[in-house]
Amino acid sequence: METVVLIILLLVSLSFILKLTFHRPAGVAVLSLLTMAFTVFMTESASSQSKTRIADWLSQPELMLDTSVVLTIDVAFQICFCILMASRLSGTLRGLQSILLEITLWIPGLLLFPTLYSMLVAIIFSMPGADFDTIGWISGAAVMTATPVLAYGLKFILPETDLRLELIFLINLLIATLGIVATVNGRTAATGTNNVEWQALAAIFAIIISGLCAGWIYFRVRNSKKINNI
């Protein structure tokens, strides 16, 4: 179960970074400051958590059902953004759709905040005895710095707007699928485990990265052939 949750959190982070590539510099700065403010503000709450309490949360089917509702709403917002942005790129965006696009563009993702909170808890667990406020401020500053760097780095690696949009769409479909897996936790015939299978997790990410690279190479080769034919 912890593996599924970890994958969802990583995919949410990737979706957020990809979405930032559609913002202007001012938008990237505002959302980066928002992530820092949330991280610093939640330091006191994160420092009061324990691994036992978190494990209990993950083992509660009712809580996972509530979380899946939030996840579904978040995925719906992100997919709505993808559809509206595709309409803008094709020149068919009209009237109210433009307003809806701006609204969905500025919604960073409801699951982004649990992701930041989980990251902060993990950092606090890994640094026993350190001052919690210091950890909070350093973590917040690191998140604020890394967010625009990763966003512009991805935009440099993937300059094609439509390709980044497709990635956001596919990532959120995968998040929705994993949300279904998390929802049925503890209610299937399979025996659950709290141990993280790091090799299996590494294999999953290797497959995802390989697919992304293969798709990117295929896209570039196809475009090169079109340009040559012209």
Side-chain angles (χ1 to χ4, degrees), residues 101-137:
L101 175 59
E102 291 300 320
I103 294 174
T104 55
L105 177 63
W106 281 95
I107 296 177
L110 302 177
L111 293 180
L112 173 66
F113 303 106
T115 300
L116 292 172
Y117 188 80
S118 301
M119 177 205 69
L120 184 59
V121 171
I123 293 175
I124 291 175
F125 282 166
S126 65
M127 302 178 66
D131 181 68
F132 295 143
D133 290 336
T134 302
I135 293 176
W137 280 102

Side-chain angles (χ1 to χ4, degrees), residues 46-59:
S47 63
S48 65
Q49 303 302 322
S50 66
K51 292 184 178 180
T52 303
R53 182 182 298 179
I54 294 175
D56 290 340
W57 286 348
L58 295 178
S59 63

